[in-house]
Amino acid sequence: MNAPIRDWAEVREIRRAADETWWVELDSPAIAGRARPGQFVMVGLGVEQVAAPFLPRPFSVGLAGPDRTVGLLLREFGAGTRRLARLRDGDRVLLLGPLGQAFSVSSDRPVVCIAGGVGLAPFLFLAAEQRKLGRQVRLLYGERTADRVFSSELIEELTGVAPIIYTEDGSAGHQGLVLAGIRPEEEPALLACGPTPMLQAVARLAIEHGLPLQVSVEEHMGCGIGTCQGCVVRSASGEWIKSCTEGPVFDARELSWPT
Amino acid sequence: MADLTQRLFGTQWQSPVLLASGTCGYGEEYAELIPLDEIGGIVTKAVSLEPRSGNPPHRVSETPGGMINAIGLQNVGLAAFIREKLPWLRDNLVRARVLINVVGHTEDEFEAVVAGLDGEDGFLGFEINVSCPNVKDGTLFGTDPAGLAGLVATLRRATARPLVVKLTPNVPDIGLYARICEENGADGLSTINTFPGMLIDVGKRRPVIGNVSGGVSGPAILPMGVYLTWRARQSSSLPILGIGGIRSSDDALQYILAGASLVQIGTALFVDPEVAVAVHRGVEAYCTESETPLRELVGGVQIPDRD
Ligand SMILES: Cc1cc2nc3c(=O)[nH]c(=O)nc-3n(C[C@H](O)[C@H](O)[C@H](O)COP(=O)(O)OP(=O)(O)OC[C@H]3O[C@@H](n4cnc5c(N)ncnc54)[C@H](O)[C@@H]3O)c2cc1C
Ligand SMILES: Cc1cc2nc3c(=O)[nH]c(=O)nc-3n(C[C@H](O)[C@H](O)[C@H](O)COP(=O)(O)O)c2cc1C
Ligand code: FES
């Protein structure tokens, strides 16, 4: 495994992409050059200040651009992400990355990405790469309501893929949960990233239909590099395993899913 | 030229800066990010006799000016530590010193870990953790004078290596515990471990931490750590490793002036791994500017007369 890179990166651009949701481009050629879809970076502000975020926050690499930038999809959640959302062009953040395991994609099955909320981020990167290789990707993307939906023009601009959008109230795209977009009979390889209840539902469906599934999980993190044991999730055999180094992308069969 | 060298625990130290237990794994994870062999050393994650699986998530979260953690001493256990972790430390760290953080449920368990490691190569000595707030019996020995006396005396018989005891801040008078360690043959003290704390998610009306409570660390605890280091210094002449909230050389110097010979950095490593070297360089610059060797700064705080 390549060692992670520590890099003070300049914000090249931050633009609003939906309600409380931002697309951030950071100038970090070293990290952009090494990142793979599914990997993440820790984003912090250094030790000189102690306001949130004091601990760096994990973010999926949303794109590692040809112009050597790292793109992040940033949604305001608590104090730390609200502060990061106030970054301006030219500000600097301390990055550590790329970290963790990437999605693995092979060409022998159609790939279906199932994104819930900011779980969209790694699939922007993945879809853009797959498109470049001339492969088809179905990108199913769910949000609660229309105002939360990450601009589909921006998604197409970044990836070349048109997302299939679902909202719970039907205010944008199809009404319902993203799950409805999965067509098991096509025997797709499923990739999922989003809230835990969504991952559980996708896992049930994958098991029922015998479909391969990789999930990207979220857990609170300290170090991001495997030293603090802070970020554990339960493995299929009942052990606590580190999501920062063994994940965040897991084969769904490696994890334990409540029944 | 600044002189940062000290002779402590029977060995030469090139730097006063160590990485704190539980925040640097077993060294290897930070090898590419921190030039470990340029700093004072590292203290490993706790090692127990049997592997421990640890607490349910969430195990960590940010708190104002720091963090709370309840890892629950998850570790690979003595046998796997010797097999899988110690060889790397032995082969890769030459000038940096290694202390192994040791935990146990009982005196016998502490003794078995110390005895089991004593004959191995690749480390200098032990840091005895009687101060973990995140497991049921974690501070049992650290808050019971008689228990602590017995434990230290037993471990003293089990090893001739440096024996440092890591104290909990969660006692009315840390001086008492410092004296007990000294009287029973310890070689040094680490002050301090985390403070017990709790964080509640008001939306969910539930504790954030899976273990309900956890240990608070980071800049928020700096003044308490400095004070308790100073208090321990008043009661004991053992060398002290100062810990708690260090993220700059000024922070480290506060501990040193309060009485610490060495310091450890924990939480701040998560924010920026380069902090360890930055603190070392800053202390070096301070010694150069004040034309004072580091060892003469230890305990050098001047307390004005109060009448
Ligand atoms: C691998 C990974 C990838 C992620 N990718 C993205 C992304 O691309 N875009 C995005 O907007 N968000 C992403 N997140 C979630 C993001 O890290 C959290 O929203 C953020 O940490 C919340 O911080 P806060 O201060 O705003 O929230 P607070 O709730 O105030 O944070 C308090 C503490 O809880 C932790 N925390 C709270 N929620 C989460 C969470 N969901 N995941 C991890 N830690 C949490 C924080 O790190 C902090 O230590 C990702 C999380 C992980 C683990
Ligand atoms: C995630 C985490 C894990 C820790 N694990 C241990 C441990 O195994 N043994 C121990 O003695 N102290 C442990 N500590 C305590 C630290 O070594 C240190 O005493 C404390 O965090 C205060 O220093 P800081 O403010 O620089 O972090 C841990 C701290 C953290 C944050
Ligand atoms: S975040 Fe520290 S081990 Fe995963």
Side-chain angles (χ1 to χ4, degrees):
Chain A
M1 248 288 283
N2 280 329
I5 296 161
R6 168 197 180 274
D7 189 24
W8 277 104
E10 192 165 300
V11 176
R12 236 200 233 167
E13 191 181 3
I14 175 159
R15 46 176 155 154
R16 190 178 176 281
D19 236 27
E20 301 180 337
T21 307
W22 307 82
W23 177 249
V24 189
E25 287 185 0
L26 302 166
D27 200 3
S28 187
I31 293 176
R34 280 245 306 271
R36 307 287 314 130
Q39 289 190 296
F40 67 100
V41 287
M42 296 296 274
V43 181
L45 299 175
V47 293
E48 304 254 304
Q49 67 93 42
V50 297
F54 176 63
L55 291 181
R57 300 293 194 258
F59 289 92
S60 300
V61 175
L63 203 66
D67 52 349
R68 320 287 275 163
T69 57
V70 172
L72 304 180
L73 199 175
L74 166 69
R75 176 158 289 169
E76 296 178 40
F77 179 76
T81 46
R82 276 200 298 276
R83 173 105 175 275
L84 293 175
R86 291 202 305 270
L87 288 167
R88 289 293 159 259
D89 298 3
D91 289 348
R92 296 200 314 155
V93 293
L94 184 55
L95 297 182
L96 190 64
L99 302 169
Q101 305 298 321
F103 285 107
S104 79
V105 181
S106 68
S107 52
D108 54 358
R109 278 177 189 253
V111 171
V112 176
C113 304
I114 306 146
V118 282
L120 174 67
F123 298 133
L124 295 174
F125 190 7
L126 188 128
E129 289 223 328
Q130 293 296 305
R131 273 298 288 213
K132 265 185 265 162
L133 296 168
R135 297 192 195 137
Q136 291 299 316
V137 177
R138 285 184 73 223
L139 175 53
L140 310 176
Y141 167 39
E143 290 280 5
R144 272 201 319 274
T145 52
D147 50 358
R148 310 281 285 178
V149 175
F150 190 88
S151 145
S152 45
E153 294 76 41
L154 190 49
I155 296 177
E156 281 204 63
E157 178 193 322
L158 296 170
T159 66
V161 174
I164 304 163
I165 292 168
Y166 290 79
T167 50
E168 285 173 31
D169 64 355
S171 53
H174 306 273
Q175 182 185 354
L177 302 173
V178 266
L179 241 53
I182 302 169
R183 303 187 206 124
E185 66 287 357
E186 291 176 0
E187 302 193 340
L190 303 178
L191 312 178
C193 182
T196 306
M198 184 200 98
L199 296 183
Q200 282 166 356
V202 180
R204 269 195 300 274
L205 186 136
I207 291 163
E208 190 183 316
H209 295 277
L211 300 173
L213 167 65
Q214 296 165 57
V215 294
S216 177
V217 301
E218 277 187 12
E219 186 46 64
H220 289 203
M221 291 185 176
C223 65
I225 62 167
T227 77
C228 76
Q229 321 255 20
C231 60
V232 296
V233 293
R234 211 189 261 293
S235 75
S237 59
E239 318 259 278
W240 295 118
I241 54 175
K242 293 182 267 191
S243 63
C244 70
T245 49
E246 295 177 51
V249 176
F250 291 96
D251 185 311
R253 288 168 303 190
E254 291 174 62
L255 301 181
S256 89
W257 300 98
T259 41
Chain B
M1 241 323 257
D3 179 5
L4 296 194
T5 62
Q6 295 181 89
R7 190 128 191 116
L8 294 165
F9 309 127
T11 193
Q12 184 80 2
W13 295 77
Q14 62 180 350
S15 162
V17 178
L18 288 89
L19 311 185
S21 178
T23 61
C24 59
Y26 303 100
E28 206 172 339
E29 296 87 343
Y30 274 118
E32 310 274 347
L33 286 163
I34 303 174
L36 293 175
D37 230 7
E38 286 174 29
I39 61 172
I42 77 163
V43 187
T44 67
K45 177 69 192 167
V47 178
S48 53
L49 187 56
E50 303 298 334
R52 292 198 190 179
S53 59
N55 290 328
H58 305 310
R59 287 182 172 185
V60 296
S61 209
E62 181 158 330
T63 53
M67 67 182 285
I68 184 167
N69 91 80
I71 307 298
L73 301 176
Q74 177 166 358
N75 82 93
V76 296
L78 176 64
F81 173 77
I82 292 175
R83 212 171 46 239
E84 295 160 18
K85 308 295 180 186
L86 198 51
W88 187 91
L89 292 166
R90 183 189 58 220
D91 297 343
N92 291 278
L93 299 186
V94 180
R95 293 183 300 276
R97 306 290 173 235
V98 178
L99 296 177
I100 299 177
N101 188 267
V102 176
V103 287
H105 294 297
T106 61
E107 197 172 294
D108 287 350
E109 269 188 46
F110 273 103
E111 189 184 6
V113 177
V114 167
L117 283 163
D118 199 49
E120 301 291 330
D121 288 335
F123 72 105
L124 175 70
F126 300 99
E127 180 178 70
I128 305 304
N129 178 0
V130 292
S131 45
C132 178
N134 305 326
V135 292
K136 219 171 55 218
D137 50 14
T139 56
L140 197 65
F141 291 96
T143 56
D144 167 23
L148 184 64
L151 177 67
V152 176
T154 298
L155 299 182
R156 182 69 292 164
R157 285 191 294 274
T159 181
R161 289 179 185 261
L163 196 60
V164 172
V165 182
K166 185 164 179 181
L167 299 177
T168 170
N170 206 30
V171 289
D173 175 16
I174 201 167
L176 170 67
Y177 295 84
R179 269 197 308 279
I180 288 170
C181 292
E182 184 164 14
E183 285 162 10
N184 288 280
D187 299 299
L189 303 169
S190 287
T191 54
I192 50 174
N193 211 317
T194 52
F195 285 81
M198 184 171 180
L199 188 64
I200 296 173
D201 180 327
V202 296
K204 295 187 182 143
R205 301 189 187 174
R206 289 169 64 109
V208 173
I209 294 296
N211 184 52
V212 179
S213 65
V216 179
S217 62
I221 71 167
L222 177 86
M224 291 86 115
V226 171
Y227 173 65
L228 292 166
T229 297
W230 182 68
R231 292 286 306 181
R233 167 82 306 145
Q234 316 284 295
S235 307
S236 150
S237 59
L238 294 179
I240 298 176
L241 294 92
I243 321 168
I246 297 175
R247 66 192 160 104
S248 70
S249 53
D250 271 15
D251 297 344
L253 284 158
Q254 289 199 49
Y255 276 97
I256 290 165
L257 291 168
S261 304
L262 303 169
V263 296
Q264 298 182 21
I265 304 181
T267 304
L269 289 176
F270 301 158
V271 181
D272 185 357
E274 278 197 6
V275 72
V277 169
V279 168
H280 168 88
R281 299 239 165 89
V283 172
E284 192 170 44
Y286 184 91
C287 290
T288 305
E289 276 159 36
S290 57
E291 296 179 1
T292 315
L294 173 67
R295 72 186 84 86
E296 288 177 21
L297 294 173
V298 174
V301 63
Q302 293 164 22
I303 308 293
D305 289 340
R306 290 167 294 184
D307 48 16

